[in-house]
Amino acid sequence: MHLKAVWLNYSSRSVLRSGNECIKANALSCGECIQVGAKCGWCTDTEFLKQGEPTSARCDELESLMKRGCDAARIENPHGSQRILKNKAVTNRKKGAEKLRPEDITQIQPQKLSLNLRSGEPQNIKLRFKRAEDYPIDLYYLMDLSYSMKDDLENVKNLGTSLMKEMSKITSDFRIGFGSFVEKTVMPYISTTPAKLLNPCTVDQNCTSPFSYKNVLKLTSNGHQFNSLVGKQQISGNLDSPEGGFDAIMQVAVCGEHIGWRNVTRLLVFSTDAGFHFAGDGKLGGIVLPNDGRCHLENNMYTMSHYYDYPSIAHLVQKLSENNIQTIFAVTEEFQPVYKVAMLSISSKLPEGVTITYQSHCKNGVVNEGESGRKCSNISIGDEVSFNINITAQGCPKQDKPESIKIKPLGFTEEVEILLNFICECDCHKQGIKNSDMCHNGNGTFECGACRCNKGRVGRQCECRKDEVSTEDLDKNCRKDNGTDICSNNGECVCGTCECKKRDNPEERYSGKFCECDNFNCDRSNNKLCGGHGRCECRVCICDANYTGSACDCSLDTSTCLASNKQICNGRGNCECGTCRCTDPKFQGPTCEICPTCPGVCTEHKSCVQCRAFGTGEKKDTCERDCSYFNLIKVKDRDKLPQPVQAFPLMHCKERDANDCWFYYTYAVNNTEKEVHVVETLECPAGPDIIPIVAGVVTGIVLIGLALLLIWKLLMIIHDRREFAKFEKEKMNAKWDTGENPIYKSAVTTVINPKYEGK
């Protein structure tokens, strides 16, 4: 069983936005605001807007409006509702009970509702469906009589009595009918001879002439009559594989009086072993007029097959749905995908602005959602299923009038009618004052705390005409301190008044007479505006109670500084911004309770350091329980131990264990973390027997070294003396050549005075 909705079309404005859609909508009235979405509200407080904020700033999310100072009682936020107008219970009827007329049997509940829809707010309704027992059924068997169906025709000839017998187990009121089809006579036989039209089969086969559709037997409760008439049927033939079955289905659907359909369950069994022709194929035979979806039976024969094209799949599904006919395709395995895909490709189109979602609760606790939520399969007689249906509107229809939709189980005449009323205005709209003096001499309607301007007027009080919105004289009023920037470059000058522009982030706003203020350029702490403990107004943090500072990051609460002795910071410091500032540099910790450098610190922590670093000492058995209060860090030697710094005090410790071994460590408190650095090896004294041996060895090594040094020195002296003697000897034996150097010239020059006479 499938649920299918039948809709009346209408158009509406769809509002699809991300982020704060209320701010982005720029709604100028309460009615426009509530159509944006279910989260949007309108503040009617006349004093709500700050200087520079436009009328549209009244429309915002509810939480944001209250945070900005609008009292909850002043916020317009209507909600949708629903009323059940007809709610007749489903019929619990057993087979053999008193016979009821079909119109007195109820299988779906409720039958009529009225919904008031607020934009973006879904209304949920629950439908029950129960297959009534012994409900009347009409079944029409439509068969392909082309030549390939010859064997199937023989099987169908005895179908009537068999069906009557089986259906009697389900209902006491069953009727059956029969029809047949082949193909349009104009299509494949355009060039054939009249004899071929009379007998389209081979010479040795007796076939009837081709036809489009024939209503052989009107719906009847006489199964023997069905067998008799079907037994007289003869096969026919055509030249192409696809058949004209869609022509036949259309006539069966729309010719209710000829077929004999009652207002009960209607079943159509369509039997074929071939594909189908559909809209557009008629052009092959010169047929261009689209199928008109009307009945054209004369003497139980379809007479307009040569005049109208085949119906489209969508057209066929529409007519079957309108006439509440469930179709069963009895086709060969080869063509099952063809007919399956053809029917699944059709989906109902919803009107603009309204969406519907389904959730089905089927047999055995099966729950389906999405497209599968519209159906429950394998519903037997007496089974009950339910459907949760959410109906949501976005915006309001342009015609601003109620609409209605109908939901019904596919193939059943019963339906649920749902009247849709749209909430398009706020309640305060009814108290609006037209041509109010509050709107600049009656140039608008004062409603919901603001002016809704008449046509051609603008401004918060409708004080300007549209043609004078931007003039030089008016712009002067929008310049701060006679500067050059209009509205501080953060807005537009409208009627001599700044209307501040909006930011991409709808939570951030400009305000002020000249849009010189904003709520996002304040000091931050921990990457939060005003430390998360205040609000930003005109670039200054207004701190919450118990907070102070330019970024509201200083807490005035002193409970965090209270020590176990109920003193603030143990009397050793001051509580500043919720944190102790110790006045004595020796003390530290959250409440100045720790003194790392005070006497006794090393002794206090000795046992825990010993057990955690070396697995020895008094607390080695309770180490994990008693000594996990500090972080232990091992270093290789004493040079690697940390040294005292100004940031936090540090104590160097040297302790001795039971074996007279020394171990070295430091103890410090870094903020609230206690840290111990310890040298990973113990420094133990040597044993008494070892000391003389070591001393003797050392002395022997020293003496040997001195002896070697003296020997080396002696050898060097002997070597030097020998070398010197050799040098002296070679010097005495040397002979020098005294010949005159041929290139030698004396440095003395003799000059004779010519005047000198020897006297």
Side-chain angles (χ1 to χ4, degrees), residues 3 123-128 356-362 367-370 373-374 376 385-391 407:
L3 278 184
Q123 287 294 317
N124 178 267
I125 59 176
K126 183 175 182 178
L127 301 184
R128 295 175 59 202
I356 297 185
T357 60
Y358 302 86
Q359 183 188 66
S360 60
H361 296 261
C362 306
V367 178
N368 297 314
E369 295 182 345
R374 298 178 56 173
C376 282
V385 296
S386 63
F387 295 84
N388 287 330
I389 302 176
N390 282 323
I391 302 178
I407 298 178

Side-chain angles (χ1 to χ4, degrees), residues 413-432:
T413 57
E414 295 178 65
E415 62 186 17
V416 179
E417 183 180 6
I418 304 175
L419 304 178
L420 303 180
N421 302 290
F422 301 90
I423 302 175
C424 300
E425 286 291 352
C426 301
D427 290 338
C428 58
H429 170 71
K430 301 173 184 177
Q431 287 79 45

Side-chain angles (χ1 to χ4, degrees), residues 179-190:
S180 59
F181 67 91
V182 182
E183 181 58 278
K184 289 182 182 294
T185 56
V186 73
M187 288 290 294
Y189 306 108
I190 295 175

Side-chain angles (χ1 to χ4, degrees), residues 725-751:
K726 183 179 179 181
F727 172 75
E728 288 293 329
K729 183 178 181 181
E730 290 178 351
K731 179 180 176 183
M732 294 178 63
N733 295 333
K735 294 182 179 180
W736 302 97
D737 189 0
T738 57
E740 204 175 275
N741 189 349
I743 62 174
Y744 170 75
K745 289 186 179 181
S746 174
V748 180
T749 302
T750 303
V751 179

Side-chain angles (χ1 to χ4, degrees), residues 187-226:
M187 288 290 294
Y189 306 108
I190 295 175
S191 60
T192 58
T193 62
K196 189 67 176 176
L197 287 174
L198 293 175
N199 186 6
C201 301
T202 58
V203 177
D204 59 339
Q205 294 289 337
N206 186 20
C207 295
T208 186
S209 58
F211 57 91
S212 179
Y213 163 65
K214 181 192 299 182
N215 180 25
V216 178
L217 176 64
K218 188 176 181 177
L219 288 165
T220 179
S221 57
N222 190 338
H224 295 289
Q225 184 182 8
F226 178 91

